[in-house]
Amino acid sequence: MFGLRCYHYLCILQVNIGREAIASLHRNAQLFMPTTTWNRHHVISLSDFSTAEYNTVLQTAASFQEVLSRRTKKVPTLQGQVVANLFFEASTRTRSSFELAAKRLSADTLNFAASTSSMTKGETILDTAKTYLAMGTDIMVIRHKEAGVPNVIASEMDRLGVRVSVLNAGDGQHEHPSQALLDLFTICTLIDPNHPHIEMLAGKKIAIVGDILHSRVARSNIWSLIASGAQVHLAAPPTLLPKLFAEYICTEKTDTLNGQLFLHWQLEPALQDADFVMTLRLQKERMTAHLLPSLREYHQLFGITRQKLQLCKPHVKVLHPGPVNRGVEISSDLMDDPEFSLIQSQVTSGVAVRMALLYLIGSGKV
Ligand code: NCD
């Protein structure tokens, strides 16, 4: 009993020493963090994010963007914590971006790819997650081709009573919160790099163009842009933007959508006077039927080109979450033109935004 009590006090002492050490390292590293309240344990969806939460992410990411511009790009914030990237589906930028973000915060990282894992021997997703739990994982970053998998793992961790956080890195056609947050950060920091806040987008016209039906990025973007007060114009052929889509969104947020969400089955009305254009990849891997006559025709009708951008505001910017089918959803020359394209900035912003998310859900655990 005495031994146990001693151990308990020792643990408290260690935690306090750990906190003090980290605080002093922060002071030395001169890392400015906005004072904020953050109660979210998992990040699965943006559908219930508050304005305060968006702004906390934006301001924290701005601080980390500043850290990333220094010669020493690392802070000790998550020292001793383990971040596991559990990617059950292919990824280039999201996986690497989460890995780099965790490393910049001094966490230990574990990378998992389903194709080279024991899942090929029949292990289940939950058993895989529990294996990483047993190794002391603090944060699981999860991508899966089925909607709901990150939520199931988060519920299992809560049921087990362990303090493991889950970050959704894209689940099926459901959501991709970190992508929408980095899109928001990219746009807001373009307007004011030092003080990005979501209210900056109130009244802006933002067109989302392309394969909306299959896009988890579009769903998360719709939640954040609606929350910002922007006017969101969706444009796609009817096969990729069914009328039902609006009903799905509206049943979730009937009161806030009036006058903010518009559906178009032609590109021009969505582009007219737009401030920003978000293009989406044609997600052929998720198409179960022939939804388009040809890629050539799709490009003619919905592909973004310099000529079509003339309908937009003069300073319009184009975003794309990547990977891009060059010459299909966006013309190749436009994609590479820094005057219009924010595609590279989106990738750069991704690291700061993911550092912010890992910091916000991870800093309470030390
Ligand atoms: C997106 C994804 O995987 O959902 N890409 C990304 O994460 N950067 C969009 C896509 O695959 O088209």
Side-chain angles (χ1 to χ4, degrees), residues 89 93-94 143 176 179 216-217 281 283 285-286 321-323:
E89 193 200 77
R93 62 216 83 211
T94 306
R143 166 169 289 194
H176 193 344
Q179 180 67 45
R216 52 197 176 204
V217 176
R281 185 175 64 91
Q283 291 152 75
E285 75 279 13
R286 299 204 180 105

Side-chain angles (χ1 to χ4, degrees), residues 38 40-58 167 175 177-178 180-181 184 198 220 223-224 226-228 253 353 357 360-361:
W38 178 270
R40 200 173 280 268
H41 186 47
H42 307 292
V43 178
I44 306 289
S45 158
L46 296 185
S47 64
D48 62 347
F49 249 57
S50 66
T51 303
E53 285 176 303
Y54 282 115
N55 284 337
T56 299
V57 173
L58 292 175
L167 272 173
E175 282 214 42
S178 66
L181 290 169
L184 188 67
I198 192 167
S220 290
W223 296 136
S224 60
I226 293 292
S228 77
K253 290 228 164 153
V353 169
L357 288 172
L360 289 167
I361 63 170

Side-chain angles (χ1 to χ4, degrees), residues 214-269:
H214 299 104
S215 177
R216 52 197 176 204
V217 176
R219 281 168 179 77
S220 290
N221 269 323
I222 288 169
W223 296 136
S224 60
L225 296 175
I226 293 292
S228 77
Q231 306 277 307
V232 185
H233 290 253
L234 310 179
T239 45
L240 298 180
L241 179 56
K243 266 200 178 133
L244 265 180
F245 186 85
E247 279 165 38
Y248 153 77
I249 299 286
C250 290
T251 44
E252 299 235 347
K253 290 228 164 153
T254 6
D255 47 339
T256 49
L257 289 188
N258 290 341
Q260 265 191 276
L261 188 70
F262 305 87
L263 270 62
H264 306 278
W265 291 282
Q266 282 176 337
L267 183 60
E268 289 68 23

Side-chain angles (χ1 to χ4, degrees), residues 80-201:
Q81 290 201 41
V82 178
V83 176
N85 285 317
L86 307 183
F87 278 61
F88 300 91
E89 193 200 77
S91 170
T92 300
R93 62 216 83 211
T94 306
R95 203 198 56 70
S96 302
S97 177
F98 266 115
E99 184 181 353
L100 186 58
K103 285 182 166 156
R104 296 287 197 220
L105 293 170
S106 305
D108 295 314
T109 53
L110 294 172
N111 286 309
F112 158 94
S115 57
T116 53
S117 76
S118 290
M119 289 191 77
T120 56
K121 301 176 185 170
E123 189 164 63
T124 67
I125 295 171
L126 275 184
D127 285 337
T128 304
K130 283 184 198 159
T131 303
Y132 280 90
L133 169 66
M135 279 185 234
T137 296
D138 298 284
I139 301 175
M140 294 184 186
V141 179
I142 298 173
R143 166 169 289 194
H144 200 282
K145 68 174 171 28
E146 299 296 339
V149 169
N151 195 35
V152 168
I153 296 178
S155 307
E156 180 64 7
M157 294 301 137
D158 293 347
R159 193 187 65 77
L160 293 171
V162 291
R163 283 191 51 74
V164 171
S165 292
V166 172
L167 272 173
N168 178 5
D171 62 329
Q173 293 170 209
H174 174 228
E175 282 214 42
H176 193 344
S178 66
Q179 180 67 45
L181 290 169
L182 78 86
D183 292 344
L184 188 67
F185 182 75
T186 307
I187 295 178
C188 290
T189 47
L190 192 73
I191 301 171
D192 182 347
N194 298 320
H195 304 288
H197 56 94
I198 192 167
E199 295 88 346
M200 286 170 159
L201 301 191

